[in-house]
Protein backbone atom coordinates (compact mmCIF):
# COMPACT_ATOMS: atom_id res chain seq x y z
CA UNK A 1 0.00 0.00 0.00
CA UNK A 2 2.83 2.40 0.84
CA UNK A 3 4.60 1.50 -2.40
CA UNK A 4 1.39 2.23 -4.29
CA UNK A 5 0.96 5.65 -2.69
CA UNK A 6 4.58 6.73 -2.83
CA UNK A 7 5.73 5.31 -6.18
CA UNK A 8 3.04 3.91 -8.46
CA UNK A 9 0.49 6.71 -8.05
CA UNK A 10 2.97 9.56 -8.75
CA UNK A 11 4.34 7.55 -11.69
CA UNK A 12 0.87 7.12 -13.20
CA UNK A 13 0.00 10.80 -12.74
CA UNK A 14 3.29 11.90 -14.29
CA UNK A 15 2.90 9.46 -17.19
CA UNK A 16 -0.56 10.82 -17.99
CA UNK A 17 0.58 14.44 -17.62
CA UNK A 18 3.60 13.99 -19.87
CA UNK A 19 1.61 12.13 -22.53
CA UNK A 20 -1.12 14.78 -22.57
CA UNK A 21 1.36 17.65 -22.66
CA UNK A 22 3.19 16.06 -25.57
CA UNK A 23 0.01 15.10 -27.42
CA UNK A 24 -2.46 17.98 -27.10
CA UNK A 25 -0.69 21.39 -27.32
CA UNK A 26 0.72 22.54 -30.64
CA UNK A 27 3.55 24.50 -29.01
CA UNK A 28 6.62 22.63 -27.81
CA UNK A 29 7.06 25.10 -24.95
CA UNK A 30 4.41 23.20 -22.95
CA UNK A 31 6.59 20.08 -22.94
CA UNK A 32 8.96 21.65 -20.43
CA UNK A 33 6.19 22.16 -17.87
CA UNK A 34 6.07 18.63 -16.31
CA UNK A 35 9.86 18.28 -15.84
CA UNK A 36 10.06 21.81 -14.41
CA UNK A 37 7.18 21.06 -12.03
CA UNK A 38 8.93 17.84 -10.99
CA UNK A 39 12.18 19.64 -10.20
CA UNK A 40 10.52 22.54 -8.38
CA UNK A 41 8.15 20.26 -6.46
CA UNK A 42 10.96 17.92 -5.45
CA UNK A 43 13.11 20.79 -4.25
CA UNK A 44 10.19 22.32 -2.36
CA UNK A 45 9.42 19.00 -0.65
CA UNK A 46 13.09 18.55 0.24
CA UNK A 47 13.34 22.08 1.61
CA UNK A 48 10.11 21.71 3.59
CA UNK A 49 11.25 18.38 4.99
CA UNK A 50 14.61 19.84 6.07
CA UNK A 51 13.06 22.96 7.60
CA UNK A 52 10.33 21.10 9.47
CA UNK A 53 12.59 18.56 11.13
CA UNK A 54 13.66 20.72 14.07
CA UNK A 55 17.01 21.43 15.67
CA UNK A 56 18.96 18.28 14.90
CA UNK A 57 20.22 17.05 11.55
CA UNK A 58 17.77 15.34 9.26
CA UNK A 59 18.34 11.59 8.87
CA UNK A 60 19.18 10.57 5.32
CA UNK A 61 16.53 7.85 5.40
CA UNK A 62 13.82 10.44 6.03
CA UNK A 63 14.92 12.47 3.01
CA UNK A 64 15.20 9.45 0.75
CA UNK A 65 11.86 7.96 1.74
CA UNK A 66 9.47 10.88 1.43
CA UNK A 67 10.76 13.27 -1.22
CA UNK A 68 13.03 10.70 -2.87
CA UNK A 69 10.67 7.83 -3.71
CA UNK A 70 7.78 9.93 -5.12
CA UNK A 71 10.17 12.11 -7.14
CA UNK A 72 11.81 8.99 -8.55
CA UNK A 73 8.39 7.59 -9.46
CA UNK A 74 7.39 10.86 -11.12
CA UNK A 75 10.64 11.02 -13.08
CA UNK A 76 10.10 7.48 -14.32
CA UNK A 77 6.50 8.37 -15.19
CA UNK A 78 7.63 11.41 -17.19
CA UNK A 79 10.10 9.30 -19.12
CA UNK A 80 7.55 6.56 -19.78
CA UNK A 81 4.93 9.11 -20.87
CA UNK A 82 7.37 10.65 -23.33
CA UNK A 83 8.29 7.20 -24.67
CA UNK A 84 4.62 6.22 -24.95
CA UNK A 85 3.86 9.38 -26.90
CA UNK A 86 6.82 8.78 -29.19
CA UNK A 87 5.86 5.15 -29.73
CA UNK A 88 2.21 5.88 -30.52
CA UNK A 89 2.74 8.95 -32.71
CA UNK A 90 6.01 8.29 -34.53
CA UNK A 91 5.87 8.30 -38.31
CA UNK A 92 5.52 4.88 -39.81
CA UNK A 93 6.92 3.81 -43.13
CA UNK A 94 4.65 1.62 -45.18
CA UNK A 95 6.36 -0.36 -47.90
CA UNK A 96 4.53 -1.18 -51.08
CA UNK A 97 3.89 -4.87 -51.49
CA UNK A 98 5.20 -6.02 -54.86
Amino acid sequence: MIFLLLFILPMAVALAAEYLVCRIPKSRVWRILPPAALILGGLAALWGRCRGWGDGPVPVEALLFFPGVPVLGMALGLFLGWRLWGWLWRPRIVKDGK
Side-chain angles (χ1 to χ4, degrees):
M1 187 67 176
I2 296 293
F3 185 70
L4 174 74
L5 290 174
L6 289 179
F7 190 78
I8 302 294
L9 190 63
M11 186 178 73
V13 169
L15 187 143
E18 181 70 19
Y19 177 77
L20 291 175
V21 165
C22 286
R23 172 73 180 102
I24 294 174
K26 303 247 186 241
S27 175
R28 290 182 179 222
V29 175
W30 286 96
R31 291 185 192 172
I32 199 159
L33 187 63
L38 172 70
I39 291 169
L40 291 176
L43 289 176
L46 183 66
W47 182 75
R49 186 77 177 202
C50 287
R51 297 279 299 168
W53 196 261
D55 296 333
V58 180
V60 174
E61 296 86 13
L63 295 177
L64 290 177
F65 185 67
F66 171 64
V69 173
V71 167
L72 181 64
M74 291 176 103
L76 182 62
L78 289 178
F79 176 72
L80 291 176
W82 176 71
R83 294 291 295 168
L84 177 68
W85 170 77
W87 181 69
L88 290 175
W89 295 99
R90 72 174 179 254
R92 290 176 173 69
I93 299 172
V94 178
K95 294 183 180 180
D96 293 333
K98 291 184 179 180

